[in-house]
């Protein structure tokens, strides 16, 4: 009985390579370039290239089958071990961050300011907190403006300039804001405040 020979079509291998390589393939005019070359079963046993081709075809068929079935590709034990180590590292990092945030919570700007106010008459706490919130809001605006410049390709110096522009507080703005707060909390009369100029000074009559 004649031994049945196993053949490998190089054209099939080329098709698999085209399917999974993602490279652009251009049409050829020479039909001979698409002719199939076969390798016998005996040659497969002695040809390392042929064995590699067979293995790649098997892998490609498996991948294609899994993709068509909509299932995830099977991970190797090494990949699973790496995923597990990554998960453990992320959990450990999160625990360390949570502990650090808890340890430094008393030293946040808001908590530090609250500690400062414990030594201030409670009657004035409202005006102090309004001042704090106003400055904090300007800082947030400054940070947002700085990040916007960086996101749009601006330099650090340009971003810093925008930060200062939105986060800074001019003397005139500070005086006007304090006047409004004094009126709001009953520490000054609105009509009386109108006598002061933008620099917080009364007019002189020499």
């Amino acid at each position: 009985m004649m031994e049945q020979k196993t053949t490998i079509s190089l054209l099939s291998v080329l098709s698999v390579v085209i399917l999974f390589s993602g490279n652009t393939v251009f049409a050829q005019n020479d039909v001979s370039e698409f002719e199939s070359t076969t390798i016998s079963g005996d040659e497969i046993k002695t040809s390392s290239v042929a064995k590699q081709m067979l293995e790649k075809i098997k892998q490609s068929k498996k991948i294609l089958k899994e993709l068509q079935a909509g299932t995830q590709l099977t991970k190797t034990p090494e990949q699973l071990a790496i995923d597990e180590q990554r998960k453990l590292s992320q959990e450990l990092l999160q625990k360390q961050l949570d502990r650090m945030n808890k340890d430094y919570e008393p030293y946040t700007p808001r908590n530090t300011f609250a500690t400062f106010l414990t030594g201030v008459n409670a009657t004035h706490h409202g005006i102090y907190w309004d001042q704090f919130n106003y400055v904090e809001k300007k800082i947030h605006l400054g940070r947002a403006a700085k990040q916007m410049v960086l996101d749009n390709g601006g330099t650090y110096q340009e971003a810093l300039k925008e930060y200062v522009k939105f986060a800074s507080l001019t003397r005139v703005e500070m005086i006007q804001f304090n006047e409004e707060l004094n009126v709001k909390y009953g520490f000054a009369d609105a009509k009386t405040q109108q006598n002061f100029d933008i620099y917080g000074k009364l007019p002189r009559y020499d």
Side-chain angles (χ1 to χ4, degrees):
M1 180 177 178
M2 183 179 297
E3 179 183 358
Q4 185 177 3
K5 293 185 178 181
T6 304
T7 63
I8 301 176
S9 172
L10 293 183
L11 182 58
S12 299
V13 176
L14 178 61
S15 300
V16 172
V17 173
I18 292 174
L19 178 63
F20 293 100
S21 66
N23 294 330
T24 304
V25 179
F26 297 93
Q28 302 291 335
N29 295 325
D30 190 355
V31 179
S32 63
E33 295 185 16
F34 294 97
E35 293 179 353
S36 299
T37 302
T38 61
I39 303 176
S40 67
D42 293 335
E43 291 175 316
I44 291 175
K45 297 178 182 179
T46 58
S47 174
S48 59
V49 175
K51 291 179 181 179
Q52 291 177 4
M53 289 180 178
L54 271 178
E55 185 62 29
K56 289 185 180 298
I57 290 175
K58 291 179 182 179
Q59 293 177 358
S60 300
K61 288 182 178 179
K62 181 181 179 182
I63 292 174
L64 183 59
K65 183 178 180 181
E66 291 179 344
L67 289 175
Q68 290 175 341
T71 59
Q72 294 183 347
L73 301 181
T74 304
K75 292 187 176 182
T76 64
E78 291 79 8
Q79 291 173 325
L80 293 174
I82 292 175
D83 289 345
E84 183 64 23
Q85 288 296 324
R86 184 180 292 113
K87 180 181 178 181
L88 292 175
S89 298
Q90 291 175 344
E91 291 177 353
L92 179 61
L93 176 61
Q94 188 59 49
K95 289 180 180 179
Q96 292 175 341
L97 289 175
D98 292 341
R99 183 171 62 251
M100 184 178 66
N101 290 335
K102 184 177 181 180
D103 292 341
Y104 286 93
E105 186 175 359
Y107 306 104
T108 62
R110 183 168 291 274
N111 288 336
T112 301
F113 191 72
T115 301
F116 159 75
L117 287 183
T118 58
V120 177
N121 191 315
T123 306
H124 302 92
H125 282 193
I127 192 171
Y128 274 102
W129 275 119
D130 277 7
Q131 291 173 340
F132 178 89
N133 292 331
Y134 184 75
V135 173
E136 185 180 54
K137 182 179 179 181
K138 290 184 71 67
I139 291 175
H140 288 166
L141 289 174
R143 289 174 178 171
K146 181 182 72 173
Q147 190 60 46
M148 184 178 297
V149 173
L150 295 175
D151 291 343
N152 290 326
T155 65
Y156 181 78
Q157 291 299 327
E158 292 172 337
L160 184 60
K161 184 178 180 180
E162 285 298 296
Y163 172 82
V164 173
K165 175 182 176 181
F166 285 92
S168 60
L169 182 66
T170 65
R171 182 171 180 270
V172 172
E173 185 180 2
M174 179 180 63
I175 292 173
Q176 182 179 357
F177 183 61
N178 282 332
E179 287 180 356
E180 294 173 357
L181 291 180
N182 281 316
V183 172
K184 175 182 177 180
Y185 288 97
F187 297 121
D189 180 71
K191 187 176 181 179
T192 303
Q193 292 297 317
Q194 293 177 0
N195 296 321
F196 293 89
D197 61 17
I198 61 174
Y199 300 105
K201 296 181 179 181
L202 289 169
R204 297 181 60 179
Y205 301 98
D206 296 333

